Amino acid sequence: MTEKIQFFLPGPSYVTEAARQAMTKPMVGHRSGPFKSFRLSLGERLPKVLRTAGDGMIATGSSTLIMESAVISCAASEVLNLVNGAFSDRWHSITRSVGRPADKIAFPWGEAVDPDVVRTALRRKKYDAVTVVHNETSTGAMSPIAEIARAIREESDALVLVDSVSSLGGARIETDEWGLDVVLGGTQKALALPPGLVVFAMSERAGERAAKIPHRGFYTDLLRYRDKHRDGGPITTPAIPQFYALDRQLDRILAEGMEARWGRHALLERRTEEWAAARGFSYASAADARSLTVSCLRPPAGVEAPGLVKKLAERGYTVGGGYGDWKPSTFRIGHMGEVRMSDLDGLLSVIDGAIDGVL
Ligand SMILES: Cc1ncc(COP(=O)(O)O)c(C=O)c1O
């Protein structure tokens, strides 16, 4: 790829020229034979990214759609929401808004979810499902999903619902091996696609549980997605241009290889950490919870985070501002998707220049 990336938002991330071009292809009937074969070919490749022998499904909508659908379809009653940032808290809001009794365990922002705390909670009370966010984009904290899922499975028969919105394609997530029941990934993050689609997997056990829940809605019914998917069809008119981009990008992702892609993201994270330490930036996330796809940083004394974001924009570089209460004190570098080391180095040297001017 010859394109130089100067766009480091933690979503939407940079989309290659090839993926953007793919979206300009002519429309096709979404109930036509060609679209059915096209969808089936996506369905053959997507499970490799979702790391499942089951279905790799696609919904038209943003990631929040499948967060809500997972709760509606999989939990008849009590849900435990593990909250360590803005997006895990969104899952708590969703659970309450659809009328499911919800308990929240709040971990400090910037810290990972602690599997031992989850274990203790599950010994005290029975839940239908537990929600957790793999990579809290708001704080740059990544949680140990394998250990959390093990704790949930050992202590209960609650379903494990995982938001992998900003980690899928950038950090290891093993749907089948770790026993995850629903895993959903955003396309506009580490998969480096335009917003508009959600990709997800659902376990057999979650499907069986959903079948016993009477009112799952229409657009929010995971069984409807699954059954239509198996038949090569979407549940409603899909975002066809985004599907074309997904087709193009799946080839790119699988050509790189999942292990290599995770490895590249890990190197980008390490480089950011080394640079931050050398330049007096501190991480807002705990040392044992560093996200591989987004670094949430506090600038050195005398440098205002929002001012720095603005200065970088003036130089043609986009980074994310802080989120929620952390808006005034932090900024976020999304080193995800198609970002290469040379792109990141370009950004870091521009930050160096901006800081030297500011200080
Ligand atoms: C971890 C996480 N979960 C959920 C969402 C919500 O995604 P969407 O805006 O695509 O619904 C985001 C968006 O940034 C996110 O980062």
Side-chain angles (χ1 to χ4, degrees):
M1 187 176 88
T2 53
E3 296 151 60
K4 177 174 173 242
I5 297 177
Q6 299 188 184
F7 192 76
F8 296 87
L9 274 191
S13 61
Y14 182 83
V15 177
T16 65
E17 175 71 25
R20 279 179 282 140
Q21 281 303 325
M23 293 200 294
T24 64
K25 287 203 299 192
M27 287 305 108
V28 58
H30 62 286
R31 304 278 175 219
S32 67
F35 194 73
K36 183 171 174 174
S37 347
F38 169 66
R39 268 196 60 107
L40 289 171
S41 95
L42 294 176
E44 276 162 23
R45 285 169 285 160
L46 204 44
K48 296 182 182 143
V49 175
L50 285 158
R51 312 288 282 182
T52 177
D55 302 301
M57 292 177 274
I58 311 163
T60 290
S62 84
S63 309
T64 306
L65 167 67
I66 297 300
M67 294 170 80
E68 185 156 323
S69 305
V71 174
I72 290 176
S73 301
C74 297
S77 188
E78 305 284 340
V79 176
L80 178 63
N81 304 120
L82 307 174
V83 175
N84 64 334
F87 294 105
S88 37
D89 208 25
R90 176 175 299 185
W91 228 341
H92 182 57
S93 307
I94 288 171
T95 308
R96 291 172 41 168
S97 75
V98 299
R100 304 296 193 269
D103 286 345
K104 160 171 161 175
I105 304 183
F107 299 87
W109 270 43
E111 288 186 15
V113 167
D114 180 344
D116 290 335
V117 173
V118 178
R119 202 177 273 284
T120 308
L122 290 169
R123 283 181 187 159
R124 275 200 227 110
K125 189 167 166 182
K126 188 173 160 18
Y127 292 96
D128 280 1
V130 180
T131 68
V132 63
V133 171
H134 183 204
N135 188 60
E136 251 303 347
T137 325
S138 56
T139 65
M142 207 167 238
S143 287
I145 295 298
E147 283 78 20
I148 295 165
R150 191 176 315 125
I152 297 169
R153 287 220 167 218
E154 282 173 6
E155 301 298 337
S156 74
D157 64 357
L159 295 176
V160 186
L161 310 182
V162 182
D163 167 333
S164 178
V165 170
S166 59
S167 53
L168 188 74
R172 182 183 295 279
I173 186 96
E174 297 285 359
T175 299
D176 289 356
E177 194 184 318
W178 296 351
L180 313 179
D181 291 293
V182 173
V183 173
L184 63 119
T187 51
Q188 76 277 25
K189 310 272 188 186
L191 297 177
L193 281 158
L197 301 179
V198 203
V199 296
F200 63 102
M202 174 170 65
S203 69
E204 284 299 323
R205 162 174 110 127
E208 284 158 19
R209 219 64 82 79
K212 296 194 186 117
I213 295 178
H215 299 293
R216 301 186 298 271
F218 188 101
Y219 212 53
T220 49
D221 179 4
L222 291 189
L223 288 186
R224 184 182 302 277
Y225 284 96
R226 189 195 65 187
D227 295 345
K228 282 284 186 186
H229 168 84
R230 289 184 177 170
D231 194 33
I235 68 159
T236 56
T237 316
I240 295 169
Q242 271 85 349
F243 275 65
Y244 290 151
L246 174 63
D247 177 42
R248 177 70 192 73
Q249 188 62 7
L250 276 177
D251 280 349
R252 186 184 179 92
I253 291 169
L254 295 174
E256 181 177 14
M258 296 309 291
E259 298 278 350
R261 201 169 171 89
W262 299 329
R264 175 167 57 80
H265 282 79
L267 289 176
L268 292 169
E269 187 279 332
R270 198 170 318 143
R271 169 85 182 102
T272 310
E273 250 189 70
E274 283 162 10
W275 166 86
R279 295 293 307 195
F281 287 73
S282 58
Y283 268 79
S285 55
D288 61 354
R290 298 274 153 84
S291 161
L292 299 190
T293 58
V294 53
S295 289
C296 183
L297 298 166
R298 295 196 178 94
V303 181
E304 295 288 327
L308 177 61
V309 173
K310 208 162 148 241
K311 275 213 171 301
L312 295 176
E314 286 162 12
R315 288 161 170 78
Y317 280 80
T318 304
V319 296
Y323 202 99
D325 289 350
W326 283 10
K327 197 172 180 55
S329 57
T330 66
F331 72 104
R332 293 170 302 154
I333 300 176
H335 33 73
M336 59 171 74
E338 294 308 319
V339 171
R340 293 153 308 182
M341 194 59 84
S342 56
D343 302 314
L344 180 64
D345 282 339
L347 170 70
L348 299 180
S349 66
V350 170
I351 300 180
D352 285 343
I355 292 291
D356 291 340
V358 170
L359 289 174

